[in-house]
Amino acid sequence: MLFVALMSGTSYDGVDVVAAEFTRHADTLRLRPLGHRELAYPDELRDAIAALLPPAATTVEAVCRLDNRLGAVFAEAAAVGVELAGGRADAVVSPGQTVFHWVDGGVTRGTLQLGAPARVAERVRVPVLSDLRAADVAAGGQGAPLVPAFDALLLDPAGGARAALNLGGIANLTVVAPDAPVLGYDVGPANALLDAAARRLLGRPHDTDGARAAAGRVHPALLELLLAEPYYAAPAPKSTGKELFHPGYLDERLAALGKPVAADDVLATLTELTARTVAAECDRHRVVEVVAAGGGVRNRTLMSRLAALGARRWRLRTTAELGVPTQAKEAYAFALLGWLSWHGLPGALPSVTGARRAAVLGSWTPSGPARAAAPPVVPRRLVIDGC
């Protein structure tokens, strides 16, 4: 089967598009990557998304307008994905842009992703899977993270506990260990606060390669304030996003210091925050290896700091060594979730999300008559073609 998958993360800088072919051999599922594109959002669309995110106030009209604007963008992205697949696809997975994740007292009450899936289905004329988080939330789960289903099939824990790390707007960790349930949760901010600082202090969308952070020094008092965030001490399952780690969050901590901090020092401190919080979780789970992906992998300063903190305890490498492009890993993971849902198989892991049961994810927007799926066979292993 040929799946196209889209991914627009908490950094909301663009949409990643992938095409993948899945073939099943007994309980092994083989994924053949067919291509990946990164389609940047125009500044005006990024501003429209930012204007809708907490703690900003908004209106139903603004939500409706953005929902349909994103749907049009995702529709064109899906068409690119169909081209990557050779001009044909069986389905598209379009999880949408998360604009709110409602967590109250540590319990997820709801979640909202925008992206008008009917527009995508109309453009490419194949079924579209969307709203992937809601079923897990309804079953008492966090609705996130969902990528651990991919990690659990891909990583082999035979030689010891291994972790998959995604460095997007938020840093997510999956831990796969011998004879233990899969763990996965949001550790804290990765690019969310770094990009906010770059926009405020540098007038740029991000700190390219972490160059400005490398030129700065960690500010001890600011780091202490940031590390005091209660979220880090909360037990898993847990998930977070820009409803907590937004630009105003950083402004409040800087204001609390009572004196200005140089831009490079702010970036160096935020980089250290991500490195320390991630490394602490890897050490806690006694992992022997960390496999990283996401936009943060491009940040040389962050990756260098993570490698230094893990030296002699765990090895740091990227998913590219496993055949999965680092910038496309989450999109390929959602392609897998689409394959699972197509076959009536659950994609969320209760040990990760805290749900009462494993839920089949998403809502299908049809395009033409429904097609019967083959009888489900639960895969036990994922193999990437070419590796």
Side-chain angles (χ1 to χ4, degrees), residues 275-349:
R276 283 204 196 181
T277 52
V278 167
E281 295 304 297
C282 292
D283 288 343
R284 186 163 68 87
H285 296 296
R286 299 182 179 180
V287 303
V288 298
E289 182 177 73
V290 178
V291 184
V297 170
R298 293 170 170 164
N299 186 323
R300 296 176 184 174
T301 304
L302 175 58
M303 290 294 286
S304 176
R305 190 68 186 120
L306 279 170
L309 288 171
R312 295 188 298 277
R313 293 191 303 282
W314 36 269
R315 178 174 68 142
L316 177 66
R317 59 176 179 155
T318 72
T319 57
E321 297 177 53
L322 303 180
V324 182
T326 57
Q327 305 309 310
K329 185 258 183 121
E330 282 199 300
Y332 278 117
F334 275 92
L336 169 67
L337 295 175
W339 186 94
L340 292 170
S341 291
W342 181 278
H343 292 87
L345 297 171
L349 304 179

Side-chain angles (χ1 to χ4, degrees), residues 119-134:
R119 291 187 177 273
V120 182
E122 172 62 24
R123 177 67 175 83
V124 294
R125 306 301 297 166
V126 298
V128 175
L129 185 70
S130 62
D131 198 21
L132 276 80
R133 304 189 188 281

